[in-house]
Amino acid sequence: MGSEIHPRPRERHPMAEKVGGWLTRLLRGVVLALAAVSGLSLLVMVALTCAEVVLRAVFNAPIKGTVDMIGLLCALAMICALPYTTAIKGHVAVEYFFLKLGRRGRIAADTLLRLVLAAFFVLLGWYLARYGQTLYTTGQVSQTVQLPLFWLPYVMAFCCWVIVGIKIYHIFHPGQSLLKP
C-alpha cells in the first residue's frame, strides 16, 4: 500500500471537468490562433522584403515604409509565437540543479517558478496595456507611413496574459504540455 509509485487519481466533480475542459480548449484555440498570426506575420515579412528587393532592383521604385512595416511585423511574429513556445514547453532549460533535487523538491521548485513567472507576465501585460493606452492617447504613429502604434502593446499584453493561463494550466497539469509540438 505505502509503496505505490503513483497515487490513485482524485475524482473530480463533473462540473469541474466541463469547465476545465472548456477552458483548456479555449486556451489551446487562442494559442493556435496566435501561432497562426505569428506565421502569417513572418510570411508577409518575407513577401514584403522580396517585393522591396525586386521593385528596387528592377524598377528603382522602393516600397515606402518597408522598414516600419517589417519592424512591426517582426515584433508581432515574435510576441505571438511566445505563447505557442510556452505551451509546448519549447524554451531552453538548464536542469543541472533542478535534477539534483528530489521529486518533492522538483515539484516545489517547478510550481514556485511557474507562479513567479505567472506574476511577472501579469505585471508585464499590465504595463504593456498601460503603454498601449499612452500611445493611443498621444496618437503615436510610425515614422514613414504614419501607421498607428497603440495596437502592438495591446497585442503584447494579451499574449502575456495568455502565457499566464498556460502557466496556470501547467501548475494544475504537471508533466503535460498544453499542445503537442
Side-chain angles (χ1 to χ4, degrees):
M1 286 264 185
S3 64
E4 287 181 355
I5 295 174
H6 299 289
R8 188 177 313 149
R10 294 182 300 174
E11 290 187 27
R12 294 178 61 181
H13 191 275
M15 188 61 153
E17 287 290 330
K18 285 182 182 179
V19 171
W22 179 80
L23 286 174
T24 300
R25 285 191 304 276
L26 176 66
L27 189 58
R28 282 185 184 132
V30 169
V31 168
L32 290 174
L34 288 170
V37 169
S38 177
L40 185 61
S41 298
L42 194 57
L43 185 65
V44 172
M45 276 192 322
V46 169
L48 189 59
T49 302
C50 290
E52 167 77 11
V53 169
V54 168
L55 288 173
R56 186 180 293 267
V58 175
F59 302 108
N60 197 23
I63 300 171
K64 183 181 178 185
T66 302
V67 174
D68 289 349
M69 291 184 275
I70 294 291
L72 290 172
L73 288 168
C74 183
L76 190 62
M78 286 190 298
I79 194 66
C80 288
L82 195 56
Y84 180 80
T85 306
T86 304
I88 64 168
K89 296 184 177 182
H91 296 291
V92 174
V94 180
E95 296 184 353
Y96 178 76
F97 295 109
F98 188 74
L99 293 176
K100 298 273 185 206
L101 299 172
R103 183 177 184 275
R104 287 185 181 179
R106 284 194 300 262
I107 290 171
D110 187 57
T111 302
L112 179 65
L113 184 60
R114 290 186 195 284
L115 287 170
V116 167
L117 286 171
F120 170 76
F121 279 107
V122 164
L123 287 174
L124 182 60
W126 182 66
Y127 279 109
L128 284 165
R130 280 187 33 196
Y131 181 60
Q133 185 61 35
T134 301
L135 292 179
Y136 180 75
T137 56
T138 59
Q140 290 288 322
V141 293
S142 64
Q143 292 180 354
T144 310
V145 288
Q146 306 298 304
L147 291 171
L149 298 175
F150 70 90
W151 60 273
L152 190 58
Y154 287 151
V155 172
M156 291 175 166
F158 179 73
C159 289
C160 287
W161 294 329
V162 170
I163 291 170
V164 171
I166 295 167
K167 292 294 181 189
I168 291 170
Y169 174 86
H170 286 154
I171 289 170
F172 287 105
H173 300 91
Q176 295 179 4
S177 47
L178 183 63
L179 295 170
K180 302 295 179 218

